[in-house]
Amino acid sequence: MVTVDEATDFSPIELACMEKLCSPRGGITICGDLMQRMSEVGIKSWAEIDDEGGSYESFELSRSYRQSNRLFKIALDLFR
């Protein structure tokens, strides 16, 4: 089993390589926040990893839990 946090800072190819490091019975868990991506080479959309042939089941967090509404609005403006 491989777990990757802040996956948005990795390229789709890097994530595919990490998946290949899993044992045949294992799996990979990737998570991250697209709005907190710190790298120019990181993924900009979760759809980018679908192109690498992985079969991922996705879950979206629909409730912000770390920051106030004001900080979230600022982060959203910076993301756009």
Side-chain angles (χ1 to χ4, degrees):
M1 173 67 123
V2 173
T3 301
V4 181
D5 191 12
E6 304 303 339
T8 55
D9 288 329
F10 296 98
S11 72
I13 292 174
E14 289 171 320
L15 291 170
C17 289
M18 290 178 211
E19 180 181 17
K20 297 301 179 203
L21 292 173
C22 298
S23 69
R25 295 184 340 214
I28 187 167
T29 300
I30 59 174
C31 58
D33 185 342
L34 292 171
M35 290 176 58
Q36 293 180 357
R37 186 172 57 89
M38 300 295 291
S39 168
E40 287 292 320
V41 297
I43 59 174
K44 295 172 182 69
S45 163
W46 289 111
E48 291 180 43
I49 62 173
D50 294 335
D51 297 336
E52 296 304 319
S55 56
Y56 300 102
E57 184 177 0
S58 65
F59 300 91
E60 188 169 327
L61 181 65
S62 60
R63 184 176 206 178
S64 180
Y65 62 94
R66 284 194 236 171
Q67 56 210 21
S68 68
N69 285 337
R70 184 174 180 207
L71 284 175
F72 180 74
K73 287 177 185 176
I74 292 170
L76 188 57
D77 287 341
L78 290 172
F79 178 69
R80 289 184 189 147

